Amino acid sequence: MAHLVLNIFVLSLTVALFINVTAVSVELKTNVTDRLQELHEIQEDLKIKSKQFETMMESEVGKLKEKVEFLETKIQEQDNLLKNCQVATSDAIGSLRNVEENNLKKTVLDPKTCLEARTADPSLKSGMYFIDPDGQGRGDDPIYVYCNMTTGSTSILHDSEDSIAVSHCFEPGCYTREIKYNATLRQMTMLSELSNVCHQSIQVDCYDAAFEFNGVPYAWWNDRNGDPRYFWSGVNNNSSDRYHTCQCGLDGSCKEKSLSCNCDSDLAIELSDVGILLEKDLLPVTKLNFGRTIAPTSINRHTLGRFECNGKVVLNGMPTSCQDLWRIGYILSGIYSIKGSSNKVETVYCDFTKLPGDEELQTWIGYADVKSEPVQFTVTRKSSFSTLNTAISFDQETLNTGNALNTSTGVFAAPRNGTYFFAFSSFSESQYSTFSVDLQLNDVTIANCVTSYTLFYCNVPITLKLSRGDRVQVSLQQGSTNNAIFTGWLLAEDIFQ
Ligand SMILES: *[C@@H]1O[C@H](CO)[C@@H](O)[C@H](O)[C@H]1NC(C)=O
Ligand SMILES: *[C@@H]1O[C@H](CO)[C@@H](O)[C@H](O)[C@H]1NC(C)=O
Ligand SMILES: *[C@@H]1O[C@H](CO)[C@@H](O)[C@H](O)[C@H]1NC(C)=O
Ligand SMILES: *[C@@H]1O[C@H](CO)[C@@H](O)[C@H](O)[C@H]1NC(C)=O
Ligand SMILES: *[C@@H]1O[C@H](CO)[C@@H](O)[C@H](O)[C@H]1NC(C)=O
Ligand SMILES: *[C@@H]1O[C@H](CO)[C@@H](O)[C@H](O)[C@H]1NC(C)=O
Ligand SMILES: *[C@@H]1O[C@H](CO)[C@@H](O)[C@H](O)[C@H]1NC(C)=O
Ligand SMILES: [Ca+2]
């Protein structure tokens, strides 16, 4: 029974427990369902909320995007403005510079040489400059040159400054290279006319490529007139057109002592001739010519320096031509006095639109009647003079400019070299006696007048070339006179000795 009771108890307990558990699980179930429901609702709510947020954000982003775009366009506008501004300022600076350049060109710059530019403005730095050797506003356009402002030298650039290989060929001058300068020949000629010295360096590296072989010249350069030249250093101081030498020939230091150039050698070794051409009136080098380079192993390379001029041409004394005037800076055409070849001053017309080398530059007009001091005299004698072999002296001085005639001795002494005119006129005091006078130069008779009748005048007009200190006098030889007149003047003075 107890067992049953227990069993029932257990059973009831179990049932109770079961019921209880069931109740709890039901409750739990409802609870969970409720929670789920709630969660679901929250979820739904969240979904709606996030949707709302999303759309809100979307609209916000859209607004921001619009804002950004707006700002971007603004920035772009600012940027463009800034750029325009920069362009405008750089333009302004550029035009300022141009104005400056033009001003410089019109005033200090556009000089004839770099030396002139440096003289005008010693603060200038070395570099490329425009110069105009043949004169601004005339002739050729200005040229762009390198100015070394330390030395004041002018260098003309060209297209063959690098080491250039000569092609293989055999005939004399079969290789030829024309040198292209960044200046006209006229400008370069004028530059050399204005300069004291001009030079151009040249180096030839050779191997089995002789300049000259068995007396046949294979290589030469052409001067500014196009004439061939065979010397590779120094000046053209040999009258022969075929003057051939290199620096080693001048120094006596050639590889083969019997030759005047290293490159004339037949030796199969690499050789060089380095020289500096100094003949300013022949430069620049206009062409280089080589030959005898046919052997595949033969090597010949040339390196030509820039055409460089320096210094100001030095005039020895006074200008003797329009060309000299041009060199010292005259540019206004007109009539000028120059030191003539006749040791007198000469008058010429200079047409400075023409240049040295052009015949029309100078037109000769004539001698200029220049006297450093006038010499003129007229003296007379009214009293009797009868001392023979003596200069007739005078008692009245009408004119004696320069005091060349000593009235009391009657001796004229030439104060300067030149051409003088004299005239002596007189007649005999006594009616029947012969009257004779000699005109003497340094005591030697050079003219004479004799009259045997009183009413005849004795006239001695003469023109003489005298040196300073020469004496001229009229010496009485026969008879006597109480009426004489002596006159003279300097016709033309030898201004230059
Ligand atoms: C079910 O929920 C009620 C109130 O919400 C709570 O009192 C009860 O303890 C919950 N039941 C369970 C088993 O979590
Ligand atoms: C050559 O000269 C011209 C002006 O005459 C100049 O504009 C140019 O830059 C020069 N060339 C060289 C390589 O110097
Ligand atoms: C100027 O010339 C001198 C002498 O030839 C040289 O030593 C110097 O380097 C040159 N200067 C410039 C800036 O070219
Ligand atoms: C050539 O000039 C050099 C130097 O100026 C001189 O030493 C030489 O004697 C001259 N030669 C001739 C042939 O005049
Ligand atoms: C002048 O040059 C020629 C050719 O180079 C040479 O034969 C001659 O000896 C030279 N004359 C003088 C005086 O140097
Ligand atoms: C003229 O010559 C005399 C004699 O030689 C000399 O005494 C006199 O000073 C001279 N007169 C003049 C003006 O030179
Ligand atoms: C004048 O001429 C002579 C020769 O005629 C000359 O010797 C002299 O140097 C010239 N000059 C002067 C100032 O006398
Ligand atoms: Ca010009």
Side-chain angles (χ1 to χ4, degrees), residues 325-354:
L325 290 171
W326 179 84
R327 280 176 171 149
I328 57 180
Y330 282 77
I331 51 163
L332 294 177
S333 300
I335 291 173
Y336 290 89
S337 292
I338 55 164
K339 179 178 175 180
S341 53
S342 61
N343 61 35
K344 296 197 170 36
V345 177
E346 291 177 15
T347 303
V348 290
Y349 173 70
C350 300
D351 179 355
F352 288 118
T353 61
K354 305 293 188 298

Side-chain angles (χ1 to χ4, degrees), residues 205-335:
D205 303 311
C206 52
Y207 178 96
D208 189 15
F211 285 163
E212 196 175 291
F213 192 73
N214 279 340
V216 178
Y218 283 88
W220 62 89
W221 55 274
N222 294 91
D223 64 23
R224 73 170 177 224
N225 304 312
D227 296 329
R229 300 290 168 181
Y230 304 87
F231 65 99
W232 300 88
S233 196
V235 295
N236 182 38
N237 63 354
N238 177 316
S239 58
S240 161
D241 284 345
R242 282 275 316 278
Y243 172 54
H244 175 66
T245 194
C246 290
Q247 189 55 43
C248 73
L250 297 172
D251 300 341
S253 64
C254 295
K255 264 275 173 297
E256 281 188 82
K257 291 279 178 264
S258 60
L259 302 175
S260 50
C261 287
N262 285 325
C263 287
D264 282 345
S265 171
D266 218 13
L267 300 173
I269 46 173
E270 236 189 275
L271 294 164
S272 282
D273 278 304
V274 182
I276 299 178
L277 301 168
L278 298 168
E279 191 70 53
K280 134 178 141 77
D281 295 336
L282 298 180
L283 293 173
V285 172
T286 55
K287 252 187 204 177
L288 286 170
N289 311 275
F290 294 96
R292 215 184 142 75
T293 53
I294 190 75
T297 53
S298 89
I299 298 169
N300 192 329
R301 304 184 68 85
H302 58 75
T303 315
L304 183 65
R306 293 173 179 176
F307 177 51
E308 186 173 348
C309 290
N310 203 354
K312 204 164 152 47
V313 73
V314 183
L315 278 192
N316 294 316
M318 298 186 203
T320 62
S321 61
C322 293
Q323 179 156 343
D324 284 352
L325 290 171
W326 179 84
R327 280 176 171 149
I328 57 180
Y330 282 77
I331 51 163
L332 294 177
S333 300
I335 291 173

